[in-house]
Amino acid sequence: MMKTKKIFWVLSGVLFVGLGAFIGLRFLWHGSVTRNCIYTENAISVPKQLVDKKNILTKSAYVAIGYDDKFSCLNNLKNINREIISSEDIDNGIGIGRDYYEERGLKIQELKTDISFSILKIIAVTKHGISTMDSGSGPIYYLILKDNNNVLYKIATVSLGANNKDRFLGVVSSDISNNLREVRLLSPFNFKEKNDKKKEKHLEYSEVENF
């Protein structure tokens, strides 16, 4: 009887330690015990200055086509299979390069400048767990764009071009022609992260000089 109790407590202890290790490792990797994804996403409103505006490409860019596995656990981004990429990232060897996308099974195509978009919404993506040690937690803000054929694209605000010469996505009033003199080029500096009264993060838009 005593031997049976001893075995029971030993097995219980092993099970308890194993369960604790599993929970600890799961929290370390995912940043959560219950979540199966290292990312979370949050849809936020489009700044009022960009509502009902048209977005155009002021120079050639590229689009990575295909479903990105790293976002397969996110309800919004998993369904968007086109990501706009600057020509500097692909052609000039300045950015992450064509291989970064093709190694993830994405196809790179040129995006013509005769296409126009509207900003449908903004998705904030936050990273969790141990993988934030090398890249940070974010959030990274993605503009979700819809073209005139109702096709959806995404582009991170950090990819809009920090330098004047690298900027390629402009905003213009939807009731005027694509006159480049009327276009305000978008950059990461247009967007500032703020906390509202509920301490929830959102983006504010402000104009910056193009030149």
Side-chain angles (χ1 to χ4, degrees):
M1 186 70 177
M2 291 295 294
K3 187 176 181 179
T4 303
K5 285 186 176 180
K6 185 176 181 180
I7 293 173
F8 171 78
W9 286 114
V10 168
L11 291 176
S12 297
V14 170
L15 180 62
F16 180 79
V17 171
L19 182 61
F22 172 78
I23 292 173
L25 289 172
R26 186 177 178 85
F27 183 83
L28 185 66
W29 181 250
H30 292 107
S32 169
V33 176
T34 58
R35 190 175 56 243
N36 291 320
C37 184
I38 64 172
Y39 298 100
T40 55
E41 64 177 0
N42 182 35
I44 59 178
S45 59
V46 178
K48 62 181 184 297
Q49 300 96 321
L50 299 178
V51 174
D52 297 328
K53 294 293 193 298
K54 182 168 63 174
N55 298 97
I56 62 171
L57 295 172
T58 58
K59 61 179 181 178
S60 61
Y62 290 89
V63 57
I65 301 176
Y67 292 99
D68 196 335
D69 286 343
K70 75 175 184 178
F71 293 142
S72 62
C73 53
L74 298 179
N75 290 332
N76 286 284
L77 289 190
K78 72 177 181 182
N79 296 315
I80 301 174
N81 67 342
R82 285 171 167 78
E83 181 172 2
I84 298 175
I85 312 164
S86 71
S87 59
E88 282 72 25
D89 271 342
I90 299 300
D91 292 334
N92 298 342
I94 298 174
I96 52 184
R98 182 184 296 266
D99 289 348
Y100 172 80
Y101 297 97
E102 292 183 341
E103 288 172 359
R104 287 153 53 201
L106 306 178
K107 184 179 180 181
I108 302 297
Q109 289 185 357
E110 188 175 355
L111 196 58
K112 302 297 184 181
T113 57
D114 59 355
I115 192 170
S116 63
F117 312 89
S118 59
I119 301 178
L120 190 63
K121 56 186 171 182
I122 299 175
I123 302 293
V125 176
T126 303
K127 197 175 185 182
H128 305 272
I130 195 171
S131 59
T132 60
M133 293 179 63
D134 62 346
S135 57
S137 61
I140 301 294
Y141 292 96
Y142 286 88
L143 306 181
I144 307 304
L145 307 175
K146 182 174 68 173
D147 71 11
N148 30 13
N149 293 315
N150 293 322
V151 178
L152 298 182
Y153 300 75
K154 62 178 179 283
I155 182 171
T157 58
V158 295
S159 301
L160 289 171
N163 301 315
N164 292 331
K165 64 182 179 64
D166 298 333
R167 297 171 190 167
F168 61 96
L169 185 65
V171 59
V172 64
S173 295
S174 58
D175 58 348
I176 66 173
S177 63
N178 295 358
N179 186 337
L180 293 184
R181 289 177 298 179
E182 304 291 341
V183 173
R184 305 296 301 182
L185 293 176
L186 293 177
S187 83
F189 307 116
N190 287 118
F191 301 93
K192 291 185 179 180
E193 187 179 278
K194 298 286 185 179
N195 291 326
D196 59 22
K197 293 180 180 179
K198 297 180 180 179
K199 296 185 178 181
E200 294 181 354
K201 291 180 179 179
H202 68 283
L203 281 188
E204 287 188 354
Y205 171 85
S206 62
E207 291 187 351
V208 295
E209 292 298 324
N210 290 335
F211 304 101

